[in-house]
């Protein structure tokens, strides 16, 4: 995997956090887990969630331990509105981007968004309350058709990071995939082969 950028941390670049609002116990567990996995793999710093099954956090922590990015955090918050307001106060120049099929098409907004330095991406689960639309600086559609918050988040992060996140190696990984056209190759990272 030499040749890939070896860095899970963003140094001075664009910082993206994700806020997952709404959660239907059991029914949304897989989607919530996948939203967290996509956040980690596609370069977000952390994901905030309201009251979820605590095993979701354990699953993600275990992925980070084995596959790297141990700095990635799943943060459980009591109130998504309080979190969004606090985030705005703490990041006065940051922008809240709510992903919704009712918003402005990403193709029209991406150039402007790429100039931002700190973004909180909001994704929903079930029907999203009106306040999410109001609290957002941008309501952005990944196409104006209904699909999924996991798909919307993946496309958004890929667009905003311009695909660079897909080329990263995480320096703290214990396991690393050796890309191969046939079969599976995974190596354990030791002090000798960590570079
Ligand atoms: N019907 C719900 C509503 O009224 O908001 C949407 C539910 S949808 C299954 C769950 C989430 O997926 C949405 O809150 C949004 O974040 C995301 N989503 C779905 N389609 C989208 C699209 N075309 N563009 C952006 N986000 C989308």
């Amino acid at each position: 995997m030499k040749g890939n950028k070896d860095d899970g941390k963003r140094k001075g670049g664009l910082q993206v956090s994700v806020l997952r609002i709404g959660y239907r116990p059991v029914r949304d567990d897989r989607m919530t887990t996948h939203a967290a996995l996509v956040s980690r793999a596609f370069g977000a710093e952390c994901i905030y969630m309201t009251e979820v099954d605590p095993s979701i956090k354990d699953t993600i922590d275990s992925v980070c331990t084995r596959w790297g990015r141990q700095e990635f955090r799943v943060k459980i918050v009591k109130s998504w509105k309080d979190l969004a307001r606090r985030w705005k106060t703490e990041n006065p120049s940051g922008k809240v981007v709510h992903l919704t099929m009712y918003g402005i098409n990403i193709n029209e907004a991406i150039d402007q968004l790429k100039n931002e330095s700190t973004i909180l991406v909001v994704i929903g689960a079930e029907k999203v309350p009106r306040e999410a639309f109001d609290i957002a600086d941008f309501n952005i559609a990944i196409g104006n058709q209904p699909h999924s918050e996991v798909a919307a988040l993946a496309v958004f992060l890929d667009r905003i990071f311009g695909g660079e996140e897909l080329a990263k190696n995480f320096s703290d990984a214990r396991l690393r995939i050796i890309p191969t056209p046939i079969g599976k190759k995974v190596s354990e990272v030791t002090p000798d082969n960590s570079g």
Side-chain angles (χ1 to χ4, degrees):
M1 299 264 273
K2 278 182 180 149
N4 285 354
K5 285 182 195 166
D6 194 351
D7 183 13
K9 293 177 188 153
R10 309 205 163 271
K11 300 183 184 84
L14 172 62
Q15 297 239 331
V16 181
S17 304
V18 178
L19 169 60
R20 162 104 159 122
I21 65 173
Y23 170 71
R24 294 162 292 185
V26 184
R27 190 173 162 181
D28 283 336
D29 282 353
R30 265 177 76 80
M31 289 297 263
T32 305
T33 304
H34 287 192
L37 287 170
V38 163
S39 300
R40 170 194 165 274
F42 285 58
E45 308 291 313
C46 70
I47 183 166
Y48 300 98
M49 306 170 169
T50 45
E51 298 166 43
V52 291
D53 178 343
S55 71
I56 294 176
K57 185 175 180 333
D58 295 343
T59 301
I60 304 306
D61 287 348
S62 160
V63 169
C64 292
T65 303
R66 284 175 296 139
W67 296 99
R69 283 212 78 198
Q70 291 181 44
E71 81 282 4
F72 179 80
R73 290 281 170 267
V74 175
K75 300 182 182 180
I76 312 291
V77 294
K78 281 210 174 106
S79 154
W80 71 263
K81 283 182 223 167
D82 288 351
L83 182 278
R85 285 193 206 106
R86 198 174 69 234
W87 188 91
K88 281 190 147 194
T89 311
E90 288 170 3
N91 299 278
S93 61
K95 293 287 184 282
V96 176
V97 176
H98 171 219
L99 298 183
T100 166
M101 66 179 182
Y102 303 103
I104 303 296
N105 196 298
I106 183 79
N107 291 340
E108 290 170 35
I110 189 66
D111 287 344
Q112 190 178 352
L113 289 171
K114 274 188 167 171
N115 290 328
E116 302 299 340
S117 59
T118 318
I119 290 177
L120 179 67
V121 192
V122 181
I123 52 171
E126 50 189 332
K127 188 167 168 48
V128 173
R130 175 82 219 177
E131 292 100 312
F133 291 79
D134 297 339
I135 216 163
D137 298 293
F138 299 92
N139 286 290
I140 298 292
I142 308 298
N144 297 104
Q145 299 294 328
H147 47 82
S148 132
E149 59 270 36
V150 177
L153 179 62
V155 171
F156 178 78
L157 292 174
D158 189 53
R159 289 288 186 92
I160 203 88
F161 289 126
E164 284 182 17
E165 78 287 353
L166 302 181
K168 286 197 188 295
N169 254 345
F170 302 140
S171 52
D172 58 351
R174 289 187 189 165
L175 295 173
R176 213 166 262 176
I177 289 171
I178 301 159
T180 174
I182 299 171
K184 297 196 257 183
K185 280 190 194 164
V186 180
S187 73
E188 277 191 41
V189 180
T190 62
D192 290 340
N193 68 6
S194 62

